Amino acid sequence: MTNDSTSTNHSTTSDSTTNDSTTNGKTWLITGASSGLGLALAEAALQAGERVVGTARRADRFDALRARYGERLLAVEHDVRDTAGAETVVRQALDAFGRIDVLVNNAGAGQVGTAEEIGDAALRDMLDQHLFGPAAYVRAVLPHLRARGTGAIVQMSSQGGRMSFPAVGSYSAGKFALEGWSEALAGEVAPFGVRVLIVEPSRFRTAFNAAGVLRTAAGDPAYDAVAGAVRANMAEAHGSQEGDPVRAAAVVRRVLDAPDAPLRLPLGAEAVRNLRRAYADATDDVEKWAGASVSADFPGVPPAVRAF
């Protein structure tokens, strides 16, 4: 999906002093870096003396950061749904800084609505933002990371990428897809020294739940008893979320540097509580119905031999 009003373009100038691949410190490419957790990660990197290539649909949203950090920030106007533009953004990053150490696929948006209320276009938009956009950036950056034999890919998912509930199915569809795709990706790139970290935040004090940011489908009164409380809770959460984006960015940076970093990182106390419960419930179901499940195989046939 291409949004002509947000086509890729170079929105800050650089000279030969910025194209220095020998500069110490990491270079981060962060989509959706002008707000929320993306902004927190960008600021943490810049405060540490590192370099950031940040994308947003409007490059002027980076004006304050550029005023503070100058040429260590390259601001690029790009809508992640424009998958053809990802390669151009990566090339701009390499031209400016000579390397990319960490790709953070952060851009995205929330959406509230039941399965009957969300049409094809709105459902596809969640997949465009949360699966196809990140996949395009990964394809564009991987040849560089493989050649260097190092690097990290951070996929900003959600606790809603491992569990779901009424009225957030379209959002979870994109995040579930991202997580499955990224789990396979992690195994594919590990031999090249490239790591994948899937981050699963709960609620953080960003604009995610704000009016005009959180997308809400027109409600069908038939679902008021099922989804009405969810709609209200999602809207009311704005400004009172318990998660601190600055602390979250510090945690992500610390985990990325850990030699035993996990594939998945629940982020925030609520995410830990909810995912513990979801995993326990799923394990209980597997055990409860294991006998019925096993009985579906041909009797006496040896277990399959697989490559994984």
Side-chain angles (χ1 to χ4, degrees), residues 28 62 79 84 119 140 203 241 254 256:
W28 298 66
F62 290 108
D79 185 329
R203 285 178 168 171
Q241 300 99 321
R254 185 164 71 246
L256 272 179

Side-chain angles (χ1 to χ4, degrees), residues 147-251:
R148 292 185 59 222
T150 186
I153 297 167
V154 179
Q155 308 284 51
M156 298 302 291
S157 180
S158 167
Q159 63 177 342
R162 294 296 278 174
M163 52 170 282
S164 196
F165 47 90
V168 299
S170 62
Y171 175 75
S172 285
K175 294 301 190 180
F176 267 63
L178 175 67
E179 293 218 11
W181 188 85
S182 299
E183 186 169 335
L185 172 69
E188 294 162 2
V189 301
F192 302 104
V194 180
R195 300 167 63 184
V196 175
L197 176 66
I198 303 169
V199 182
E200 300 168 330
S202 48
R203 285 178 168 171
F204 280 78
R205 202 163 297 179
T206 70
F208 181 89
N209 294 89
V213 177
L214 179 65
R215 303 174 183 189
T216 304
D220 183 336
Y223 287 98
D224 283 351
V226 175
V230 174
R231 292 176 184 275
N233 180 261
M234 293 286 282
E236 293 166 357
H238 179 60
S240 63
Q241 300 99 321
E242 61 269 39
D244 179 351
V246 174
R247 291 173 182 267
V251 171

Side-chain angles (χ1 to χ4, degrees), residues 124-161:
R124 286 194 179 99
D125 191 61
M126 290 290 98
L127 293 170
D128 284 336
Q129 294 195 62
H130 301 138
L131 175 63
F132 293 111
Y137 268 96
V138 168
R139 288 194 302 270
V141 81
L142 262 181
H144 171 70
L145 298 183
R146 284 193 293 102
R148 292 185 59 222
T150 186
I153 297 167
V154 179
Q155 308 284 51
M156 298 302 291
S157 180
S158 167
Q159 63 177 342

Side-chain angles (χ1 to χ4, degrees), residues 4-230:
D4 291 336
S5 66
T6 54
S7 59
T8 306
N9 66 75
H10 201 304
S11 59
T12 187
T13 58
S14 61
D15 57 29
S16 60
T17 62
T18 61
N19 190 7
D20 181 2
S21 62
T22 65
T23 303
N24 292 327
K26 294 177 180 176
T27 297
W28 298 66
L29 170 53
I30 306 173
T31 69
S34 65
S35 62
L37 292 174
L39 175 59
L41 283 166
E43 289 203 272
L46 291 165
Q47 288 168 2
E50 298 165 346
R51 295 161 303 282
V52 171
V53 180
T55 78
R57 296 184 194 181
R58 291 195 353 251
D60 60 2
R61 298 183 68 183
F62 290 108
D63 287 351
L65 275 186
R66 282 189 291 190
R68 293 204 300 276
Y69 298 106
E71 292 183 351
R72 285 195 290 111
L73 171 67
L74 173 67
V76 180
E77 194 166 283
H78 182 241
D79 185 329
V80 296
R81 295 172 295 185
D82 172 17
T83 55
E87 189 170 344
T88 302
V89 176
V90 168
R91 175 46 51 195
Q92 287 179 257
L94 294 174
D95 287 346
F97 297 130
R99 61 192 264 191
I100 296 170
D101 298 280
V102 185
L103 166 66
V104 181
N105 277 311
N106 171 74
Q111 183 163 267
V112 180
T114 66
E116 197 171 343
E117 295 163 349
I118 298 290
D120 283 352
L123 180 57
R124 286 194 179 99
D125 191 61
M126 290 290 98
L127 293 170
D128 284 336
Q129 294 195 62
H130 301 138
L131 175 63
F132 293 111
Y137 268 96
V138 168
R139 288 194 302 270
V141 81
L142 262 181
H144 171 70
L145 298 183
R146 284 193 293 102
R148 292 185 59 222
T150 186
I153 297 167
V154 179
Q155 308 284 51
M156 298 302 291
S157 180
S158 167
Q159 63 177 342
R162 294 296 278 174
M163 52 170 282
S164 196
F165 47 90
V168 299
S170 62
Y171 175 75
S172 285
K175 294 301 190 180
F176 267 63
L178 175 67
E179 293 218 11
W181 188 85
S182 299
E183 186 169 335
L185 172 69
E188 294 162 2
V189 301
F192 302 104
V194 180
R195 300 167 63 184
V196 175
L197 176 66
I198 303 169
V199 182
E200 300 168 330
S202 48
R203 285 178 168 171
F204 280 78
R205 202 163 297 179
T206 70
F208 181 89
N209 294 89
V213 177
L214 179 65
R215 303 174 183 189
T216 304
D220 183 336
Y223 287 98
D224 283 351
V226 175
V230 174

